Amino acid sequence: MTQHLTLSIRTTAAGTVMELAGELDHHTAPQVRDALLGLTLRPGQQLVIDLKGITFCDSSGLTVLIAARNHALAADAAIALAAIPERLARILGITGLGPVFPSHPTAQDAEHTWRTVSD
């Protein structure tokens, strides 16, 4: 049974942070995809996907992460994943997607790194 997915979006100096919690699967991926399409990313900003609350991720969830990357790159923005749960990090490694996404222990670390690089 699929758990409810909660999604919150906030803006920081670095750009947008999307926090996800629950199961990211074929039932909930459309919700995240719709939210991504509604984001306006500016060149040079960073989209951070905070995954600390993710309890499960299937191939539909991975597809949404790739869509988020494509959305950011199309806007000439960067993307980073934050607080990747160990099981999801293993899946990203097995699928070869690990190197595609810069990752950070927390969303705050991602913002700090963005500020350091952009200065």
Side-chain angles (χ1 to χ4, degrees):
M1 185 168 126
T2 299
Q3 294 179 355
H4 179 71
L5 178 82
T6 58
L7 182 153
S8 65
I9 297 172
R10 60 186 168 86
T11 303
T12 69
T16 302
V17 177
M18 179 182 283
E19 296 177 6
L20 303 175
E23 294 187 3
L24 182 54
D25 61 14
H26 69 281
H27 293 291
T28 60
Q31 175 187 357
V32 179
R33 189 180 327 274
D34 290 346
L36 283 167
L37 293 175
L39 294 179
T40 301
L41 303 174
R42 291 183 294 184
Q45 285 191 320
Q46 176 177 247
L47 170 61
V48 176
I49 310 291
D50 188 335
L51 300 166
K52 70 179 166 240
I54 291 296
T55 57
F56 176 79
C57 181
D58 69 5
S59 60
S60 298
L62 294 178
T63 300
V64 165
L65 294 178
I66 293 167
R69 180 180 183 273
N70 292 342
H71 184 63
L73 294 178
D76 200 22
I79 186 167
L81 302 181
I84 305 169
E86 185 178 327
R87 284 175 284 191
L88 180 51
R90 192 171 27 235
I91 291 168
L92 290 170
I94 290 168
T95 59
L97 291 172
V100 171
F101 294 98
S103 62
H104 302 277
T106 67
Q108 292 78 15
D109 289 329
E111 182 179 3
H112 175 74
T113 300
W114 174 85
R115 284 183 178 185
T116 304
V117 171
S118 66
D119 288 345

